[in-house]
Each structure stands twice: as C-alpha cells, then as structure tokens.
Amino acid sequence: MARLGDISDYLIAPEPGAARLTRAVTGTDQNGQAVDLNVVEERPLTIFLNGQEIVTAMTIGDYPEYLALGFLRNQGMLRDGEVIKGVDYDEELETVVVRTEGTTTFEDKLKKKTRTSGCAVGTVFGDMMEGLEGVVLPDVQVKTSDLYALAAQINRTPSLYLEAGAIHGTVLCQGARPLVYMEDVGRHNAVDKIAGWMLSERVSADDKLLYTTGRLTSEMVIKTALMGIPVLASRSGFTAWGVEIAQQVGLTLIGRMKGQRFVCLAGEERLLRDADPAQVADEPRKSRRKGSG
C-alpha cells in the first residue's frame, strides 16, 4: 500500500507548499475562537492564440503554459499536427500567448461558446460533440488490481486539496502508476493542464487512464475522449449525460471508487477482474479525502 507522502512514482506531483498557491488568513470558529487557515489562491489567466484573446480562466496559477496548450487543444483550436512556434507566459500581465505556424479556426469557435456545469465556469464549444464522431478509443485491458492500487496511492498523496481544500485533482495514470497529478479550482482546468503536458511532451494516450476527484460530467467525458484516453475514473458520481456520451464513444467510465467498491457504467468489456475485492483494504468511513462534487 502506498505510504502517505510517497510521490516517487510521479513525473509531476502536487506541491501543496509552493509559494503563491495558498494564502494564510485568520477567522473565527463556531465558538468565536481565532483560527488560522490556508486558503487556495484564485487568479485570472488570459489565453491568447496568436494575436487573438480567447478566454480568461480563473486558476491557481501553476503550469500556465500547460493550461493554455491543453485548453486550446481540448477546444479543437489546436489541430493534430499543428506546429507550435512558441508558448510565452508573462507573470506580471497574467497572460499566455500560444503562437502557431499556420492559421487557426478560433473565430468560428468563439461564436459557439457554451457554459458548462464545471466549477469556475467551464467552457466548451458547440462543435466539440461533432469532434467525437471520429473518435476511436484504444481497446486496452484495465486490471482491477491497478484500479485499487491507483486509488490507494492517489488518495494518500500530499496535495493542495488536503492542505487547503476547495480544489479538484486530475491524475494521468499508466497501469498502476500515477504519472502526472494536476490540481485547480475547476476540474476542467486540471484536465486541460494534463492535456497540455501530453501535447508538449508528445505523450501517447493509448495506454493511459484519467483519474479525477470530481463528478463524471459530460464535459469530463468529452475532454477525456477527445484526448484519446480510453478510461476515466473517479471517487465521485456520474451525470446521466456523461454516462450516455461514454457509452456512445466506447469510453470506460468508473465512478464511486472508494476502498473495495466501484461502479462501471460504460466500457465494462475493458475490465479484467484480477483482484478479489474482499482482499482489498476498505476505506475508513471517515476518510481524509472526500469525493468532490
């Protein structure tokens, strides 16, 4: 079982003590006693594509280049094979400018903006659903022993969530190994950071699993499928549209992963049940990490 504080498997792990991510504040509790808390910072980041301002996202401020790349990639504004000339972050101006070699189609997409159920006002665009029509996800096997191992390690990883709360986490995994753990005030931001890292590092999605602390919504399912990742798992629950889309595109959707238990509502055929749930340590009722809504 993973030890609390064991982050050796990660390529990128949370940094709950990093400067600028939290702020110390003082308040009072129910008894009128003074309390000191660390609360998550939230700051704007404006993303430009070439000379055009695309969106201002509220974010904790880490990995801004990955967030910008992933957002543009997941919105279909960066096509497969797009040559990226540069990604420039200006901390003072709180902007990221992504420059490409060719022209892009952002003008049409900006006309189709739709607000989603994601925290901190997630945004998708009308033709993202159209992009799913050509998606064929890899036919890979998912071992339940890997699912149990991942849940145990991720839930014991020191994180900003455990430090301050009010935040979502998303983890890119391969087999039983968690690779990249991103956090942000919105689950859509966290998954965009992972998409940006994969694009920047040219990492294949074929044998990956995406784990999220948040709900399995339509937005999360769409982004996961568009990234080419065949499996999406969460401690939290499902929305009906998220399940429907997962079934349509053939994505394996696993939720309510807590201790010995999980529920698969799509893509059951990928599961290899190689672990006896009775032999898995169940999660204490008062777990330190709760499923995020």
Side-chain angles (χ1 to χ4, degrees), residues 105-124:
T105 59
F106 56 77
E107 295 91 345
D108 292 337
K109 293 184 179 292
L110 290 175
K111 299 174 184 176
K112 301 177 181 179
K113 191 185 299 183
T114 303
R115 184 171 294 186
T116 74
S117 59
C119 301
V121 189
T123 303
V124 297

mmCIF file of all heavy atoms in Angstrom, residues 105-124:
data_model
loop_
_atom_site.group_PDB
_atom_site.id
_atom_site.type_symbol
_atom_site.label_atom_id
_atom_site.label_comp_id
_atom_site.label_asym_id
_atom_site.label_seq_id
_atom_site.Cartn_x
_atom_site.Cartn_y
_atom_site.Cartn_z
ATOM 1 N N THR A 105 -8.637 28.242 -36.506
ATOM 2 C CA THR A 105 -10.077 28.421 -36.750
ATOM 3 C C THR A 105 -10.791 28.956 -35.515
ATOM 4 O O THR A 105 -11.957 28.668 -35.297
ATOM 5 C CB THR A 105 -10.706 27.082 -37.160
ATOM 6 O OG1 THR A 105 -10.492 26.133 -36.106
ATOM 7 C CG2 THR A 105 -10.083 26.547 -38.438
ATOM 8 N N PHE A 106 -10.086 29.746 -34.710
ATOM 9 C CA PHE A 106 -10.693 30.177 -33.450
ATOM 10 C C PHE A 106 -11.893 31.085 -33.648
ATOM 11 O O PHE A 106 -12.783 31.149 -32.827
ATOM 12 C CB PHE A 106 -9.659 30.868 -32.557
ATOM 13 C CG PHE A 106 -8.961 32.048 -33.186
ATOM 14 C CD1 PHE A 106 -9.594 33.263 -33.303
ATOM 15 C CD2 PHE A 106 -7.656 31.935 -33.634
ATOM 16 C CE1 PHE A 106 -8.956 34.346 -33.866
ATOM 17 C CE2 PHE A 106 -7.007 33.017 -34.204
ATOM 18 C CZ PHE A 106 -7.660 34.227 -34.332
ATOM 19 N N GLU A 107 -11.963 31.807 -34.763
ATOM 20 C CA GLU A 107 -13.058 32.752 -34.962
ATOM 21 C C GLU A 107 -14.410 32.040 -34.942
ATOM 22 O O GLU A 107 -15.360 32.475 -34.293
ATOM 23 C CB GLU A 107 -12.892 33.513 -36.281
ATOM 24 C CG GLU A 107 -11.667 34.420 -36.325
ATOM 25 C CD GLU A 107 -10.448 33.712 -36.889
ATOM 26 O OE1 GLU A 107 -10.469 32.457 -36.976
ATOM 27 O OE2 GLU A 107 -9.475 34.410 -37.232
ATOM 28 N N ASP A 108 -14.515 30.929 -35.667
ATOM 29 C CA ASP A 108 -15.771 30.190 -35.702
ATOM 30 C C ASP A 108 -16.113 29.615 -34.338
ATOM 31 O O ASP A 108 -17.275 29.614 -33.926
ATOM 32 C CB ASP A 108 -15.690 29.055 -36.730
ATOM 33 C CG ASP A 108 -15.605 29.570 -38.157
ATOM 34 O OD1 ASP A 108 -16.049 30.721 -38.390
ATOM 35 O OD2 ASP A 108 -15.115 28.838 -39.016
ATOM 36 N N LYS A 109 -15.115 29.134 -33.636
ATOM 37 C CA LYS A 109 -15.378 28.504 -32.346
ATOM 38 C C LYS A 109 -15.822 29.508 -31.291
ATOM 39 O O LYS A 109 -16.611 29.174 -30.406
ATOM 40 C CB LYS A 109 -14.140 27.739 -31.873
ATOM 41 C CG LYS A 109 -13.837 26.534 -32.757
ATOM 42 C CD LYS A 109 -12.685 25.735 -32.229
ATOM 43 C CE LYS A 109 -12.441 24.520 -33.138
ATOM 44 N NZ LYS A 109 -13.553 23.562 -33.036
ATOM 45 N N LEU A 110 -15.336 30.723 -31.362
ATOM 46 C CA LEU A 110 -15.730 31.728 -30.380
ATOM 47 C C LEU A 110 -17.212 32.072 -30.476
ATOM 48 O O LEU A 110 -17.799 32.603 -29.536
ATOM 49 C CB LEU A 110 -14.886 32.996 -30.559
ATOM 50 C CG LEU A 110 -13.414 32.874 -30.154
ATOM 51 C CD1 LEU A 110 -12.659 34.155 -30.485
ATOM 52 C CD2 LEU A 110 -13.279 32.552 -28.675
ATOM 53 N N LYS A 111 -17.839 31.766 -31.588
ATOM 54 C CA LYS A 111 -19.266 32.034 -31.757
ATOM 55 C C LYS A 111 -20.130 30.943 -31.124
ATOM 56 O O LYS A 111 -21.344 31.087 -31.050
ATOM 57 C CB LYS A 111 -19.605 32.132 -33.250
ATOM 58 C CG LYS A 111 -18.885 33.250 -33.983
ATOM 59 C CD LYS A 111 -19.163 33.183 -35.477
ATOM 60 C CE LYS A 111 -18.377 34.244 -36.235
ATOM 61 N NZ LYS A 111 -18.573 34.136 -37.711
ATOM 62 N N LYS A 112 -19.497 29.836 -30.696
ATOM 63 C CA LYS A 112 -20.254 28.675 -30.239
ATOM 64 C C LYS A 112 -19.972 28.346 -28.782
ATOM 65 O O LYS A 112 -19.997 27.201 -28.385
ATOM 66 C CB LYS A 112 -19.922 27.466 -31.115
ATOM 67 C CG LYS A 112 -20.227 27.681 -32.588
ATOM 68 C CD LYS A 112 -19.817 26.474 -33.407
ATOM 69 C CE LYS A 112 -20.113 26.711 -34.886
ATOM 70 N NZ LYS A 112 -19.711 25.555 -35.715
ATOM 71 N N LYS A 113 -19.683 29.367 -27.989
ATOM 72 C CA LYS A 113 -19.318 29.161 -26.591
ATOM 73 C C LYS A 113 -20.535 28.734 -25.770
ATOM 74 O O LYS A 113 -21.604 29.305 -25.883
ATOM 75 C CB LYS A 113 -18.724 30.437 -26.025
ATOM 76 C CG LYS A 113 -18.067 30.275 -24.667
ATOM 77 C CD LYS A 113 -17.591 31.596 -24.102
ATOM 78 C CE LYS A 113 -16.564 32.271 -24.977
ATOM 79 N NZ LYS A 113 -16.065 33.516 -24.377
ATOM 80 N N THR A 114 -20.350 27.732 -24.902
ATOM 81 C CA THR A 114 -21.420 27.229 -24.054
ATOM 82 C C THR A 114 -20.903 27.068 -22.640
ATOM 83 O O THR A 114 -19.876 26.423 -22.424
ATOM 84 C CB THR A 114 -21.933 25.854 -24.549
ATOM 85 O OG1 THR A 114 -22.369 25.990 -25.894
ATOM 86 C CG2 THR A 114 -23.097 25.376 -23.682
ATOM 87 N N ARG A 115 -21.597 27.613 -21.665
ATOM 88 C CA ARG A 115 -21.193 27.444 -20.276
ATOM 89 C C ARG A 115 -21.571 26.034 -19.816
ATOM 90 O O ARG A 115 -22.628 25.523 -20.154
ATOM 91 C CB ARG A 115 -21.892 28.479 -19.393
ATOM 92 C CG ARG A 115 -21.458 28.440 -17.939
ATOM 93 C CD ARG A 115 -22.007 29.599 -17.155
ATOM 94 N NE ARG A 115 -21.444 30.864 -17.601
ATOM 95 C CZ ARG A 115 -21.686 32.023 -16.998
ATOM 96 N NH1 ARG A 115 -22.488 32.068 -15.947
ATOM 97 N NH2 ARG A 115 -21.154 33.137 -17.449
ATOM 98 N N THR A 116 -20.680 25.414 -19.027
ATOM 99 C CA THR A 116 -20.918 24.047 -18.569
ATOM 100 C C THR A 116 -21.132 24.030 -17.064
ATOM 101 O O THR A 116 -21.098 25.057 -16.392
ATOM 102 C CB THR A 116 -19.712 23.148 -18.902
ATOM 103 O OG1 THR A 116 -18.655 23.479 -17.994
ATOM 104 C CG2 THR A 116 -19.229 23.350 -20.333
ATOM 105 N N SER A 117 -21.313 22.800 -16.539
ATOM 106 C CA SER A 117 -21.527 22.642 -15.097
ATOM 107 C C SER A 117 -20.225 22.627 -14.320
ATOM 108 O O SER A 117 -20.224 22.429 -13.118
ATOM 109 C CB SER A 117 -22.276 21.327 -14.827
ATOM 110 O OG SER A 117 -21.545 20.232 -15.329
ATOM 111 N N GLY A 118 -19.090 22.808 -14.980
ATOM 112 C CA GLY A 118 -17.794 22.788 -14.309
ATOM 113 C C GLY A 118 -17.631 23.939 -13.344
ATOM 114 O O GLY A 118 -18.200 25.008 -13.523
ATOM 115 N N CYS A 119 -16.822 23.717 -12.298
ATOM 116 C CA CYS A 119 -16.536 24.786 -11.349
ATOM 117 C C CYS A 119 -15.757 25.895 -12.034
ATOM 118 O O CYS A 119 -15.052 25.672 -13.007
ATOM 119 C CB CYS A 119 -15.722 24.241 -10.184
ATOM 120 S SG CYS A 119 -16.546 22.908 -9.302
ATOM 121 N N ALA A 120 -15.845 27.103 -11.533
ATOM 122 C CA ALA A 120 -15.129 28.268 -12.053
ATOM 123 C C ALA A 120 -15.472 28.526 -13.512
ATOM 124 O O ALA A 120 -14.684 29.022 -14.290
ATOM 125 C CB ALA A 120 -13.614 28.097 -11.893
ATOM 126 N N VAL A 121 -16.713 28.206 -13.883
ATOM 127 C CA VAL A 121 -17.265 28.455 -15.214
ATOM 128 C C VAL A 121 -16.439 27.762 -16.301
ATOM 129 O O VAL A 121 -15.619 28.365 -16.971
ATOM 130 C CB VAL A 121 -17.392 29.965 -15.508
ATOM 131 C CG1 VAL A 121 -18.186 30.164 -16.803
ATOM 132 C CG2 VAL A 121 -18.099 30.680 -14.372
ATOM 133 N N GLY A 122 -16.661 26.466 -16.415
ATOM 134 C CA GLY A 122 -16.041 25.727 -17.513
ATOM 135 C C GLY A 122 -16.673 26.146 -18.827
ATOM 136 O O GLY A 122 -17.787 26.636 -18.876
ATOM 137 N N THR A 123 -15.951 25.958 -19.913
ATOM 138 C CA THR A 123 -16.446 26.340 -21.233
ATOM 139 C C THR A 123 -16.142 25.244 -22.232
ATOM 140 O O THR A 123 -15.043 24.728 -22.288
ATOM 141 C CB THR A 123 -15.782 27.639 -21.715
ATOM 142 O OG1 THR A 123 -16.013 28.652 -20.750
ATOM 143 C CG2 THR A 123 -16.365 28.086 -23.045
ATOM 144 N N VAL A 124 -17.152 24.874 -22.989
ATOM 145 C CA VAL A 124 -16.935 24.029 -24.150
ATOM 146 C C VAL A 124 -17.539 24.752 -25.339
ATOM 147 O O VAL A 124 -18.257 25.732 -25.190
ATOM 148 C CB VAL A 124 -17.560 22.622 -24.002
ATOM 149 C CG1 VAL A 124 -16.920 21.859 -22.872
ATOM 150 C CG2 VAL A 124 -19.057 22.700 -23.819
#
